[in-house]
Protein backbone atom coordinates (compact mmCIF):
# COMPACT_ATOMS: atom_id res chain seq x y z
CA UNK A 1 0.00 0.00 0.00
CA UNK A 2 1.31 3.46 -0.89
CA UNK A 3 0.66 6.31 1.49
CA UNK A 4 0.85 10.06 1.02
CA UNK A 5 0.91 12.58 3.87
CA UNK A 6 -0.29 16.08 3.00
CA UNK A 7 1.34 18.75 5.18
CA UNK A 8 4.76 17.89 6.59
CA UNK A 9 4.89 19.95 9.79
CA UNK A 10 5.20 18.54 13.31
CA UNK A 11 2.36 16.09 12.74
CA UNK A 12 2.80 15.24 9.05
CA UNK A 13 6.57 14.73 8.98
CA UNK A 14 6.29 12.44 12.01
CA UNK A 15 3.41 10.49 10.51
CA UNK A 16 5.20 10.09 7.17
CA UNK A 17 8.43 8.80 8.75
CA UNK A 18 6.54 6.44 11.07
CA UNK A 19 4.46 5.03 8.22
CA UNK A 20 7.75 4.31 6.39
CA UNK A 21 9.06 2.68 9.58
CA UNK A 22 5.99 0.42 9.50
CA UNK A 23 7.03 -0.74 6.02
CA UNK A 24 4.86 1.38 3.72
CA UNK A 25 6.07 3.35 0.75
CA UNK A 26 5.40 6.95 1.67
CA UNK A 27 5.37 10.33 -0.05
CA UNK A 28 5.11 13.53 1.98
CA UNK A 29 3.70 16.63 0.32
CA UNK A 30 3.86 20.25 1.40
CA UNK A 31 3.27 23.59 -0.29
CA UNK A 32 6.42 24.94 1.39
CA UNK A 33 9.25 24.15 -1.05
CA UNK A 34 11.99 24.88 1.52
CA UNK A 35 10.52 22.29 3.88
CA UNK A 36 10.30 19.73 1.10
CA UNK A 37 13.85 20.45 -0.01
CA UNK A 38 15.17 19.89 3.53
CA UNK A 39 13.11 16.73 4.12
CA UNK A 40 14.18 15.30 0.76
CA UNK A 41 17.80 15.62 1.93
CA UNK A 42 16.90 13.77 5.13
CA UNK A 43 17.06 16.97 7.18
CA UNK A 44 14.27 17.59 9.69
CA UNK A 45 13.40 21.30 9.82
CA UNK A 46 12.32 21.15 13.49
CA UNK A 47 13.40 19.43 16.70
CA UNK A 48 11.75 16.14 17.64
CA UNK A 49 13.70 13.42 19.50
CA UNK A 50 14.17 10.22 17.48
CA UNK A 51 12.65 11.59 14.29
CA UNK A 52 15.86 12.63 12.45
CA UNK A 53 17.11 9.05 12.63
CA UNK A 54 13.88 7.63 11.12
CA UNK A 55 13.82 10.30 8.44
CA UNK A 56 17.43 9.72 7.37
CA UNK A 57 16.99 5.97 7.38
CA UNK A 58 13.94 5.90 5.15
CA UNK A 59 14.97 8.72 2.81
CA UNK A 60 18.21 6.80 2.23
CA UNK A 61 16.38 3.63 1.20
CA UNK A 62 13.94 5.56 -1.00
CA UNK A 63 10.95 4.28 0.96
CA UNK A 64 10.18 7.85 2.06
CA UNK A 65 10.09 10.64 -0.51
CA UNK A 66 8.82 14.20 -0.59
CA UNK A 67 7.19 16.35 -3.23
CA UNK A 68 5.25 19.58 -3.79
CA UNK A 69 3.18 18.00 -6.58
CA UNK A 70 -0.42 16.98 -5.92
CA UNK A 71 -0.48 15.44 -9.39
CA UNK A 72 2.33 13.11 -8.39
CA UNK A 73 0.72 11.90 -5.15
CA UNK A 74 -2.73 11.75 -6.77
CA UNK A 75 -1.54 9.25 -9.35
CA UNK A 76 0.61 7.29 -6.93
CA UNK A 77 -0.86 6.78 -3.45
CA UNK A 78 -3.74 4.57 -2.28
CA UNK A 79 -4.24 6.39 1.03
CA UNK A 80 -3.78 10.14 1.55
CA UNK A 81 -3.48 11.47 5.11
CA UNK A 82 -4.26 15.17 5.57
CA UNK A 83 -2.13 16.74 8.33
CA UNK A 84 -2.16 20.43 7.40
CA UNK A 85 -2.47 23.17 9.99
CA UNK A 86 -5.76 24.37 11.55
CA UNK A 87 -4.57 27.52 13.36
CA UNK A 88 -6.71 30.01 15.23
CA UNK A 89 -8.20 32.55 12.82
CA UNK A 90 -6.64 36.00 13.16
CA UNK A 91 -8.66 38.10 15.62
CA UNK A 92 -11.15 35.29 16.32
CA UNK A 93 -11.40 32.12 18.33
CA UNK A 94 -12.57 29.83 15.53
CA UNK A 95 -10.26 27.49 13.62
CA UNK A 96 -9.02 28.54 10.20
CA UNK A 97 -10.01 25.69 7.90
CA UNK A 98 -8.61 27.16 4.69
CA UNK A 99 -5.68 24.77 4.58
CA UNK A 100 -7.82 21.68 5.16
CA UNK A 101 -10.27 22.73 2.46
CA UNK A 102 -7.45 23.54 0.03
CA UNK A 103 -5.74 20.18 0.68
CA UNK A 104 -8.99 18.21 0.21
CA UNK A 105 -9.80 20.07 -2.96
CA UNK A 106 -6.28 19.68 -4.42
CA UNK A 107 -6.39 15.97 -3.66
CA UNK A 108 -9.83 15.56 -5.22
CA UNK A 109 -8.70 17.38 -8.37
CA UNK A 110 -5.60 15.24 -8.74
CA UNK A 111 -6.50 11.74 -7.55
CA UNK A 112 -6.58 9.56 -10.64
CA UNK A 113 -7.20 6.10 -9.12
CA UNK A 114 -9.45 4.75 -6.38
CA UNK A 115 -8.18 6.04 -3.04
CA UNK A 116 -9.01 6.90 0.57
CA UNK A 117 -8.50 10.37 2.03
CA UNK A 118 -7.94 10.29 5.80
CA UNK A 119 -8.21 13.49 7.83
CA UNK A 120 -5.74 13.75 10.73
CA UNK A 121 -5.79 17.50 11.35
CA UNK A 122 -7.75 18.66 14.41
CA UNK A 123 -11.00 20.15 13.11
CA UNK A 124 -14.32 21.48 14.40
CA UNK A 125 -17.12 18.94 14.40
CA UNK A 126 -18.89 18.89 11.03
CA UNK A 127 -15.76 19.45 8.95
CA UNK A 128 -15.49 15.90 7.58
CA UNK A 129 -19.14 15.88 6.52
CA UNK A 130 -18.59 19.18 4.67
CA UNK A 131 -15.53 17.78 2.90
CA UNK A 132 -17.53 14.91 1.39
CA UNK A 133 -19.19 17.52 -0.79
CA UNK A 134 -15.92 19.32 -1.61
CA UNK A 135 -14.40 16.02 -2.74
CA UNK A 136 -17.45 15.02 -4.79
CA UNK A 137 -17.59 18.36 -6.60
CA UNK A 138 -13.92 18.44 -7.53
CA UNK A 139 -13.12 14.82 -8.38
CA UNK A 140 -13.36 12.62 -11.45
CA UNK A 141 -16.71 10.76 -11.05
CA UNK A 142 -15.21 7.54 -12.44
CA UNK A 143 -12.80 7.34 -9.50
CA UNK A 144 -13.97 6.20 -6.03
CA UNK A 145 -12.60 8.44 -3.29
CA UNK A 146 -13.50 7.50 0.28
CA UNK A 147 -13.14 9.78 3.31
CA UNK A 148 -12.34 8.88 6.91
CA UNK A 149 -11.33 10.86 10.03
CA UNK A 150 -8.49 9.51 12.13
CA UNK A 151 -7.54 12.09 14.77
CA UNK A 152 -3.99 12.22 16.06
CA UNK A 153 -3.08 12.30 19.76
CA UNK A 154 0.72 12.53 19.63
CA UNK A 155 2.60 14.84 21.98
CA UNK A 156 5.55 16.86 20.76
CA UNK A 157 8.73 15.54 22.34
CA UNK A 158 7.27 11.99 22.26
CA UNK A 159 5.90 12.11 18.72
CA UNK A 160 7.62 9.00 17.38
CA UNK A 161 6.69 6.71 20.26
CA UNK A 162 3.14 8.10 20.38
CA UNK A 163 2.71 7.44 16.64
CA UNK A 164 4.21 3.95 16.64
CA UNK A 165 2.57 2.88 19.91
CA UNK A 166 -0.52 5.06 20.47
CA UNK A 167 -2.77 4.77 23.55
CA UNK A 168 -5.75 4.29 21.25
CA UNK A 169 -6.76 4.65 17.61
CA UNK A 170 -9.98 6.28 16.44
CA UNK A 171 -11.56 5.79 13.02
CA UNK A 172 -14.45 8.01 11.98
CA UNK A 173 -15.93 6.29 8.92
CA UNK A 174 -19.01 6.36 6.76
CA UNK A 175 -18.38 3.17 4.83
CA UNK A 176 -17.11 -0.26 6.05
CA UNK A 177 -14.76 -0.47 3.02
CA UNK A 178 -12.86 2.54 4.36
CA UNK A 179 -12.57 0.93 7.80
CA UNK A 180 -10.91 -2.13 6.19
CA UNK A 181 -8.29 0.07 4.52
CA UNK A 182 -7.53 1.81 7.82
CA UNK A 183 -7.28 -1.53 9.62
CA UNK A 184 -4.62 -2.56 7.09
CA UNK A 185 -2.69 0.70 7.65
CA UNK A 186 -2.74 0.24 11.43
CA UNK A 187 -2.33 -3.57 11.38
CA UNK A 188 0.83 -3.51 13.54
CA UNK A 189 -0.70 -1.44 16.35
CA UNK A 190 -3.91 -3.47 16.22
CA UNK A 191 -1.95 -6.74 16.48
CA UNK A 192 -0.46 -5.27 19.66
CA UNK A 193 -3.99 -4.83 21.01
CA UNK A 194 -4.07 -1.05 20.86
CA UNK A 195 -7.67 -0.11 21.68
CA UNK A 196 -9.58 0.77 18.49
CA UNK A 197 -12.71 2.89 18.43
CA UNK A 198 -14.65 2.81 15.18
CA UNK A 199 -17.29 5.48 15.00
CA UNK A 200 -18.93 8.15 12.84
CA UNK A 201 -17.22 11.31 11.57
CA UNK A 202 -18.74 13.57 14.20
CA UNK A 203 -17.74 11.47 17.21
CA UNK A 204 -14.21 11.03 15.85
CA UNK A 205 -13.80 14.79 15.43
CA UNK A 206 -15.20 15.42 18.91
CA UNK A 207 -13.01 12.79 20.60
CA UNK A 208 -9.95 14.79 19.61
CA UNK A 209 -11.11 18.18 20.86
CA UNK A 210 -12.64 16.62 23.98
CA UNK A 211 -9.29 15.04 24.86
CA UNK A 212 -7.43 18.34 24.48
CA UNK A 213 -10.13 20.26 26.34
CA UNK A 214 -9.92 17.78 29.21
CA UNK A 215 -6.13 18.07 29.41
CA UNK A 216 -6.30 21.88 29.35
CA UNK A 217 -8.98 21.82 32.06
CA UNK A 218 -6.87 19.54 34.23
CA UNK A 219 -3.90 21.91 34.01
CA UNK A 220 -6.03 24.98 34.75
CA UNK A 221 -7.71 23.14 37.61
CA UNK A 222 -4.39 22.68 39.40
CA UNK A 223 -3.29 26.20 38.49
CA UNK A 224 -6.49 27.61 39.99
CA UNK A 225 -5.57 25.81 43.22
CA UNK A 226 -2.14 27.40 42.90
CA UNK A 227 -3.81 30.77 43.25
CA UNK A 228 -5.29 29.57 46.53
CA UNK A 229 -2.14 27.96 47.91
CA UNK A 230 -0.21 31.12 47.05
CA UNK A 231 -2.72 33.13 49.04
CA UNK A 232 -3.03 30.92 52.11
CA UNK A 233 0.44 29.38 52.17
CA UNK A 234 -0.17 25.78 51.04
CA UNK A 235 1.95 23.69 48.69
CA UNK A 236 0.62 22.86 45.24
CA UNK A 237 2.97 19.97 44.49
CA UNK A 238 1.93 18.17 47.66
CA UNK A 239 -1.72 18.84 46.87
CA UNK A 240 -1.27 17.44 43.34
CA UNK A 241 0.53 14.35 44.65
CA UNK A 242 -2.20 13.74 47.19
CA UNK A 243 -5.15 14.01 44.82
CA UNK A 244 -3.17 12.26 42.07
CA UNK A 245 -2.96 9.08 44.17
CA UNK A 246 -6.68 8.69 43.59
CA UNK A 247 -6.71 6.52 40.46
CA UNK A 248 -9.87 8.28 39.31
CA UNK A 249 -7.94 11.54 39.17
CA UNK A 250 -4.35 10.50 38.35
CA UNK A 251 -1.20 12.58 38.83
CA UNK A 252 -0.42 13.28 35.15
CA UNK A 253 -1.19 16.78 33.85
CA UNK A 254 -1.41 18.15 37.37
CA UNK A 255 1.90 20.00 37.16
CA UNK A 256 1.21 23.55 38.22
CA UNK A 257 3.29 26.36 36.80
CA UNK A 258 3.20 28.98 34.10
CA UNK A 259 0.51 27.03 32.28
CA UNK A 260 -0.15 25.45 28.91
CA UNK A 261 0.76 26.73 25.48
CA UNK A 262 1.74 25.31 22.12
CA UNK A 263 0.15 24.94 18.74
CA UNK A 264 -2.76 22.86 20.04
CA UNK A 265 -4.30 23.11 23.54
CA UNK A 266 -4.90 26.90 23.48
CA UNK A 267 -6.26 27.10 19.95
CA UNK A 268 -8.26 23.88 20.31
CA UNK A 269 -10.20 25.02 23.40
CA UNK A 270 -10.95 28.34 21.70
CA UNK A 271 -12.07 26.66 18.46
CA UNK A 272 -14.29 24.29 20.45
CA UNK A 273 -15.98 27.20 22.19
CA UNK A 274 -16.46 28.96 18.87
CA UNK A 275 -17.97 25.83 17.30
CA UNK A 276 -20.28 25.27 20.25
CA UNK A 277 -21.50 28.87 19.88
CA UNK A 278 -22.17 28.32 16.19
CA UNK A 279 -24.26 25.30 17.19
CA UNK A 280 -26.26 27.43 19.64
CA UNK A 281 -24.54 25.70 22.57
CA UNK A 282 -22.56 28.58 23.97
CA UNK A 283 -23.26 27.56 27.56
CA UNK A 284 -22.00 23.98 27.14
CA UNK A 285 -18.41 25.04 26.58
CA UNK A 286 -18.42 28.34 28.47
CA UNK A 287 -16.26 26.84 31.21
CA UNK A 288 -13.41 26.72 28.68
CA UNK A 289 -13.31 30.52 28.75
CA UNK A 290 -12.43 30.24 32.43
CA UNK A 291 -9.87 27.50 31.69
CA UNK A 292 -8.26 29.89 29.20
CA UNK A 293 -8.32 32.83 31.65
CA UNK A 294 -6.83 30.86 34.54
CA UNK A 295 -4.09 29.76 32.19
CA UNK A 296 -3.29 33.27 30.95
CA UNK A 297 -3.29 34.64 34.53
CA UNK A 298 -0.32 32.40 35.34
CA UNK A 299 1.76 34.38 32.88
CA UNK A 300 0.68 37.66 34.53
CA UNK A 301 1.64 36.19 37.86
CA UNK A 302 5.21 35.43 36.78
CA UNK A 303 5.63 38.96 35.39
CA UNK A 304 4.29 40.43 38.64
CA UNK A 305 6.59 38.26 40.73
CA UNK A 306 9.57 39.46 38.70
CA UNK A 307 8.48 43.07 39.25
CA UNK A 308 8.09 42.43 42.98
CA UNK A 309 11.50 40.85 43.28
CA UNK A 310 13.35 43.52 41.33
CA UNK A 311 11.32 46.55 42.31
CA UNK A 312 11.86 48.18 38.96
CA UNK A 313 12.43 46.14 35.77
CA UNK A 314 14.01 48.89 33.71
CA UNK A 315 17.72 48.34 33.41
CA UNK A 316 17.68 45.03 35.30
CA UNK A 317 19.26 41.96 33.73
CA UNK A 318 16.93 38.96 33.56
CA UNK A 319 18.01 35.48 32.43
CA UNK A 320 15.23 33.49 30.75
CA UNK A 321 15.77 29.73 30.84
CA UNK A 322 13.61 28.19 28.13
CA UNK A 323 11.33 29.70 25.51
CA UNK A 324 9.84 26.53 23.97
CA UNK A 325 6.26 25.83 25.06
CA UNK A 326 7.51 22.59 26.63
CA UNK A 327 10.81 20.71 26.92
CA UNK A 328 12.13 18.49 24.09
CA UNK A 329 10.49 20.71 21.50
CA UNK A 330 11.60 23.79 19.55
CA UNK A 331 7.98 24.90 19.13
CA UNK A 332 7.26 28.43 20.37
CA UNK A 333 3.67 28.71 19.17
CA UNK A 334 1.68 30.38 21.98
CA UNK A 335 4.56 29.66 24.33
CA UNK A 336 3.95 30.92 27.89
CA UNK A 337 7.73 31.20 28.30
CA UNK A 338 8.22 33.42 25.26
CA UNK A 339 5.21 35.51 26.25
CA UNK A 340 6.69 36.17 29.70
CA UNK A 341 10.13 36.95 28.20
CA UNK A 342 8.64 39.49 25.80
CA UNK A 343 6.59 41.13 28.55
CA UNK A 344 9.63 41.52 30.78
CA UNK A 345 11.49 43.02 27.82
CA UNK A 346 8.63 45.41 27.09
CA UNK A 347 8.71 46.48 30.75
CA UNK A 348 12.31 47.60 30.25
CA UNK A 349 14.32 44.59 31.47
CA UNK A 350 17.49 43.58 29.70
CA UNK A 351 16.36 40.06 28.80
CA UNK A 352 18.81 37.31 27.88
CA UNK A 353 17.26 34.13 26.57
CA UNK A 354 18.70 30.64 26.44
CA UNK A 355 16.77 27.63 25.16
CA UNK A 356 18.63 24.48 24.09
CA UNK A 357 16.61 24.19 20.86
CA UNK A 358 14.05 26.98 20.45
CA UNK A 359 16.17 30.16 20.27
CA UNK A 360 16.00 30.19 16.49
CA UNK A 361 12.21 29.94 16.29
CA UNK A 362 11.77 32.50 19.06
CA UNK A 363 14.15 34.92 17.32
CA UNK A 364 12.03 34.53 14.17
CA UNK A 365 9.06 35.90 16.13
CA UNK A 366 10.76 38.34 18.51
CA UNK A 367 14.16 39.29 17.11
CA UNK A 368 14.73 42.03 19.70
CA UNK A 369 15.40 39.74 22.65
CA UNK A 370 19.03 38.89 23.29
CA UNK A 371 19.39 35.18 22.44
CA UNK A 372 22.50 33.48 23.79
CA UNK A 373 23.78 29.98 23.30
CA UNK A 374 24.53 28.81 26.81
CA UNK A 375 23.20 28.82 30.32
CA UNK A 376 26.34 30.61 31.45
CA UNK A 377 25.90 33.41 28.91
CA UNK A 378 22.28 33.89 29.96
CA UNK A 379 22.91 33.92 33.70
CA UNK A 380 26.21 35.69 34.08
CA UNK A 381 25.57 38.96 35.83
CA UNK A 382 21.80 38.39 35.98
CA UNK A 383 19.77 40.15 38.66
CA UNK A 384 17.06 37.50 38.27
CA UNK A 385 16.85 34.04 36.69
CA UNK A 386 13.43 32.82 35.48
CA UNK A 387 13.06 29.12 34.67
CA UNK A 388 10.16 28.90 32.22
CA UNK A 389 10.61 25.64 30.28
CA UNK A 390 11.70 22.59 32.25
CA UNK A 391 14.41 21.20 29.98
CA UNK A 392 16.37 18.48 31.72
CA UNK A 393 19.49 20.66 32.02
CA UNK A 394 17.39 23.23 33.91
CA UNK A 395 15.59 20.67 36.08
CA UNK A 396 18.97 19.46 37.31
CA UNK A 397 20.31 22.92 38.19
CA UNK A 398 21.73 23.44 41.67
CA UNK A 399 22.66 26.64 43.52
CA UNK A 400 26.30 25.65 43.03
CA UNK A 401 25.82 25.82 39.22
CA UNK A 402 24.37 29.31 39.18
CA UNK A 403 25.83 30.88 42.31
CA UNK A 404 29.15 31.91 40.75
CA UNK A 405 27.39 33.42 37.72
CA UNK A 406 24.63 35.66 38.94
CA UNK A 407 24.65 38.97 40.69
CA UNK A 408 21.26 38.88 42.31
CA UNK A 409 20.77 35.29 43.56
CA UNK A 410 17.10 35.60 42.74
CA UNK A 411 15.27 32.80 40.96
CA UNK A 412 11.67 32.20 39.86
CA UNK A 413 10.92 28.54 39.18
CA UNK A 414 7.86 28.96 36.98
CA UNK A 415 7.60 25.20 36.40
CA UNK A 416 7.90 23.97 39.99
CA UNK A 417 10.76 21.61 39.26
CA UNK A 418 13.58 22.70 41.57
CA UNK A 419 14.24 21.88 45.20
CA UNK A 420 13.15 25.11 46.89
CA UNK A 421 14.71 24.29 50.25
CA UNK A 422 18.15 23.77 48.74
CA UNK A 423 18.02 27.13 46.98
CA UNK A 424 16.82 28.97 50.07
CA UNK A 425 19.45 27.25 52.19
CA UNK A 426 22.08 28.50 49.74
CA UNK A 427 20.93 32.06 50.31
CA UNK A 428 18.80 32.56 47.23
CA UNK A 429 15.60 34.53 47.07
CA UNK A 430 13.66 31.63 45.58
CA UNK A 431 10.10 31.76 44.31
CA UNK A 432 8.09 28.87 42.88
CA UNK A 433 4.47 29.13 41.84
CA UNK A 434 1.80 27.84 44.18
CA UNK A 435 3.95 27.16 47.24
CA UNK A 436 5.07 28.77 50.45
CA UNK A 437 8.02 29.92 48.37
CA UNK A 438 5.69 32.36 46.61
CA UNK A 439 5.05 35.74 48.19
CA UNK A 440 1.46 36.14 49.36
CA UNK A 441 -0.73 37.45 46.61
CA UNK A 442 -3.64 39.79 46.34
CA UNK A 443 -6.89 37.84 45.92
CA UNK A 444 -7.77 37.46 42.23
CA UNK A 445 -10.92 39.32 41.30
CA UNK A 446 -12.50 38.38 38.01
CA UNK A 447 -15.31 40.14 36.24
CA UNK A 448 -18.81 38.77 36.82
CA UNK A 449 -19.75 36.23 34.09
N1 LIG B 1 1.78 19.36 16.49
C1 LIG B 1 1.21 18.36 17.12
O1 LIG B 1 1.78 17.83 18.07
C2 LIG B 1 -0.14 17.85 16.73
C3 LIG B 1 -0.91 18.51 15.79
N2 LIG B 1 -2.19 18.09 15.54
C4 LIG B 1 -2.99 18.77 14.52
O2 LIG B 1 -2.36 18.51 13.26
C5 LIG B 1 -2.52 19.63 12.39
C6 LIG B 1 -1.14 20.09 11.92
O3 LIG B 1 -0.43 20.56 13.03
P1 LIG B 1 1.15 20.83 12.96
O4 LIG B 1 1.82 19.71 12.24
O5 LIG B 1 1.57 21.14 14.33
O6 LIG B 1 1.19 22.14 12.04
P2 LIG B 1 2.41 22.74 11.22
O7 LIG B 1 2.10 24.17 11.01
O8 LIG B 1 3.70 22.33 11.84
O9 LIG B 1 2.33 21.99 9.81
C7 LIG B 1 1.32 22.19 8.86
C8 LIG B 1 1.93 22.04 7.47
O10 LIG B 1 0.88 22.06 6.50
C9 LIG B 1 1.40 22.68 5.34
N3 LIG B 1 0.28 23.08 4.46
C10 LIG B 1 -0.60 24.11 4.60
N4 LIG B 1 -1.48 24.11 3.59
C11 LIG B 1 -1.17 23.07 2.80
C12 LIG B 1 -1.75 22.53 1.62
N5 LIG B 1 -2.82 23.07 1.05
N6 LIG B 1 -1.19 21.45 1.06
C13 LIG B 1 -0.09 20.88 1.62
N7 LIG B 1 0.50 21.33 2.74
C14 LIG B 1 -0.05 22.41 3.33
C15 LIG B 1 2.21 23.84 5.90
O11 LIG B 1 3.13 24.35 4.93
C16 LIG B 1 2.90 23.17 7.09
O12 LIG B 1 4.15 22.61 6.74
C17 LIG B 1 -3.30 20.67 13.20
O13 LIG B 1 -4.67 20.49 12.93
C18 LIG B 1 -3.00 20.28 14.64
O14 LIG B 1 -4.03 20.72 15.51
C19 LIG B 1 -2.73 16.99 16.14
C20 LIG B 1 -2.01 16.28 17.05
C21 LIG B 1 -0.65 16.64 17.41
O1 LIG C 1 -3.41 18.11 19.71
C1 LIG C 1 -2.21 18.18 19.90
O2 LIG C 1 -1.42 18.77 19.16
C2 LIG C 1 -1.58 17.55 21.09
O3 LIG C 1 -1.69 18.49 22.20
C3 LIG C 1 -1.08 18.03 23.39
O4 LIG C 1 0.30 17.75 23.18
P1 LIG C 1 1.43 18.88 23.19
O5 LIG C 1 0.82 20.20 22.89
O6 LIG C 1 2.54 18.37 22.33
O7 LIG C 1 2.02 18.94 24.66
P2 LIG C 1 1.52 18.57 26.13
O8 LIG C 1 2.47 17.61 26.72
O9 LIG C 1 0.09 18.23 26.15
O10 LIG C 1 1.71 19.98 26.86
C4 LIG C 1 0.92 21.08 26.49
C5 LIG C 1 1.23 22.26 27.39
O11 LIG C 1 0.73 22.01 28.70
C6 LIG C 1 1.74 22.28 29.66
N1 LIG C 1 1.53 21.36 30.80
C7 LIG C 1 1.42 20.03 30.61
C8 LIG C 1 1.19 19.19 31.68
C9 LIG C 1 1.09 19.71 32.97
O12 LIG C 1 0.88 19.00 33.97
N2 LIG C 1 1.22 21.05 33.14
C10 LIG C 1 1.43 21.90 32.09
O13 LIG C 1 1.52 23.12 32.29
C11 LIG C 1 3.04 22.04 28.92
O14 LIG C 1 4.11 22.73 29.53
C12 LIG C 1 2.71 22.59 27.55
O15 LIG C 1 2.87 24.00 27.52
C13 LIG C 1 -1.75 16.71 23.81
O16 LIG C 1 -1.08 16.23 24.99
C14 LIG C 1 -1.64 15.68 22.69
O17 LIG C 1 -2.32 14.48 23.07
C15 LIG C 1 -2.28 16.25 21.44
O18 LIG C 1 -2.15 15.34 20.36
Amino acid sequence: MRISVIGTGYLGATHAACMAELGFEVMGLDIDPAKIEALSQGVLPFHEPGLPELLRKHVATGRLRFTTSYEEVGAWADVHFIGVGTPQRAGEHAADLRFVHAAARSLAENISKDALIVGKSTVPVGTARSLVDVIRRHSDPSVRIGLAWNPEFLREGFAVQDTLAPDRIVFGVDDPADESVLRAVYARALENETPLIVTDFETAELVKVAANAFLATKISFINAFSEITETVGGDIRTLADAIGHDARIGRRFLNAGVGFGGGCLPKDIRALRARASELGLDQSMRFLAEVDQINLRRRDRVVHLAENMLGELAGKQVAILGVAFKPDSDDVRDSPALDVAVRLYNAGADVRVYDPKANHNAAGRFPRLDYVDSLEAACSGADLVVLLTEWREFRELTPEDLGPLTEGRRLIDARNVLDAEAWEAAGWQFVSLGSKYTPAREPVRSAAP
Side-chain angles (χ1 to χ4, degrees):
M1 192 183 315
R2 290 165 165 181
I3 290 177
S4 91
V5 180
I6 311 299
T8 56
Y10 287 94
L11 164 68
T14 308
H15 194 66
C18 289
M19 287 290 123
E21 178 71 3
L22 291 174
F24 298 106
E25 279 189 79
V26 183
M27 205 181 290
L29 179 149
D30 205 288
I31 51 171
D32 180 344
K35 215 171 252 186
I36 291 302
E37 175 65 25
L39 290 165
S40 301
Q41 315 268 329
V43 175
L44 189 68
F46 57 89
H47 176 74
E48 181 59 46
L51 192 53
E53 294 80 355
L54 282 194
L55 178 70
R56 275 199 298 277
K57 176 171 145 193
H58 296 298
V59 166
T61 62
R63 197 189 285 170
L64 175 57
R65 290 181 292 143
F66 294 91
T67 182
T68 53
S69 165
Y70 271 98
E71 203 178 346
E72 192 178 3
V73 296
W76 182 82
D78 308 294
V79 177
H80 303 270
F81 283 97
I82 296 181
V84 300
T86 49
Q88 190 174 332
R89 261 190 235 157
E92 291 179 48
H93 279 175
D96 187 344
L97 293 177
R98 273 181 302 165
F99 308 108
V100 169
H101 279 272
R105 179 175 172 166
S106 302
L107 278 174
E109 287 170 346
N110 287 283
I111 287 175
S112 51
K113 61 180 201 174
D114 289 359
L116 177 63
I117 296 177
V118 186
K120 266 210 161 297
S121 301
T122 302
V123 292
V125 62
T127 303
R129 194 74 57 201
S130 74
L131 291 181
V132 171
D133 191 45
V134 172
I135 294 165
R136 188 186 49 74
R137 279 191 284 121
H138 294 283
S139 57
D140 174 349
S142 68
V143 174
R144 180 193 181 272
I145 305 178
L147 177 69
W149 218 263
N150 166 225
E152 176 58 58
F153 302 96
L154 71 81
R155 297 159 297 166
E156 290 178 27
F158 301 90
V160 171
Q161 82 184 54
D162 285 352
T163 305
L164 292 174
D167 287 346
R168 77 304 211 178
I169 299 174
V170 177
F171 299 162
V173 287
D174 225 14
D175 185 322
D178 300 334
E179 178 187 334
S180 306
V181 175
L182 280 172
R183 279 182 180 272
V185 171
Y186 286 105
R188 172 93 63 89
L190 297 177
E191 275 162 24
N192 293 335
E193 302 195 352
T194 305
L196 169 67
I197 294 92
V198 182
T199 181
D200 47 69
F201 288 161
E202 288 73 16
T203 309
E205 292 166 328
L206 282 169
V207 168
K208 172 65 201 177
V209 290
N212 277 2
F214 191 87
L215 294 172
T217 304
K218 204 170 174 189
I219 298 166
S220 279
F221 177 90
I222 200 69
N223 280 331
F225 273 88
S226 254
E227 295 183 339
I228 299 182
T229 53
E230 280 168 18
T231 306
V232 301
D235 183 68
I236 199 65
R237 277 199 291 200
T238 309
L239 186 151
D241 290 344
I243 62 171
H245 281 302
D246 185 330
R248 295 169 301 173
I249 295 172
R251 178 64 176 81
R252 295 173 75 185
F253 272 70
L254 285 180
N255 295 320
V258 69
F260 61 80
C264 292
L265 297 192
K267 66 122 169 112
D268 287 349
I269 59 169
R270 292 170 195 153
L272 176 53
R273 273 187 64 216
R275 184 67 183 130
S277 284
E278 281 169 15
L279 295 168
L281 299 170
D282 197 24
Q283 290 190 337
S284 309
M285 293 294 141
R286 190 178 285 171
F287 74 96
L288 291 176
E290 206 55 53
V291 167
D292 206 357
Q293 287 307 312
I294 293 164
N295 190 53
L296 295 176
R297 280 207 298 272
R298 292 283 77 192
R299 304 175 187 191
D300 302 340
R301 179 70 174 140
V302 177
V303 173
H304 290 153
L305 285 168
E307 280 165 353
N308 285 347
M309 286 170 95
L310 292 175
E312 170 68 38
L313 283 170
K316 296 285 170 32
Q317 192 178 315
V318 179
I320 298 290
L321 303 187
V323 277
F325 84 106
K326 65 184 277 192
D328 298 314
S329 171
D330 63 357
D331 197 345
V332 298
R333 289 178 289 183
D334 205 343
S335 165
L338 184 55
D339 190 12
V340 168
V342 169
R343 286 162 67 174
L344 294 176
Y345 170 84
N346 287 339
D350 167 10
V351 171
R352 264 191 223 165
V353 177
Y354 168 59
D355 187 290
K357 297 288 177 192
N359 273 6
H360 178 72
N361 284 343
R365 286 177 188 233
F366 292 103
R368 289 198 186 164
L369 305 184
D370 184 8
Y371 296 94
V372 296
D373 59 8
S374 71
L375 180 80
E376 290 73 22
C379 295
S380 62
D383 297 297
L384 170 68
V385 178
V386 190
L387 192 168
L388 284 157
T389 312
E390 70 277 31
W391 287 91
R392 186 172 178 173
E393 65 179 277
F394 303 153
R395 285 198 304 263
E396 292 176 350
L397 277 177
T398 64
E400 290 72 43
D401 299 322
L402 289 193
L405 297 174
T406 70
E407 294 290 315
R409 294 195 167 226
R410 296 183 193 90
L411 194 151
I412 300 176
D413 174 8
R415 289 291 181 180
N416 274 319
V417 287
L418 299 177
D419 178 355
E421 274 177 35
W423 289 82
E424 280 224 324
W428 283 67
Q429 187 184 348
F430 182 93
V431 165
S432 68
L433 299 187
S435 72
K436 67 176 179 180
Y437 296 99
T438 323
R441 51 179 293 124
E442 291 295 309
V444 177
R445 299 192 203 291
S446 61

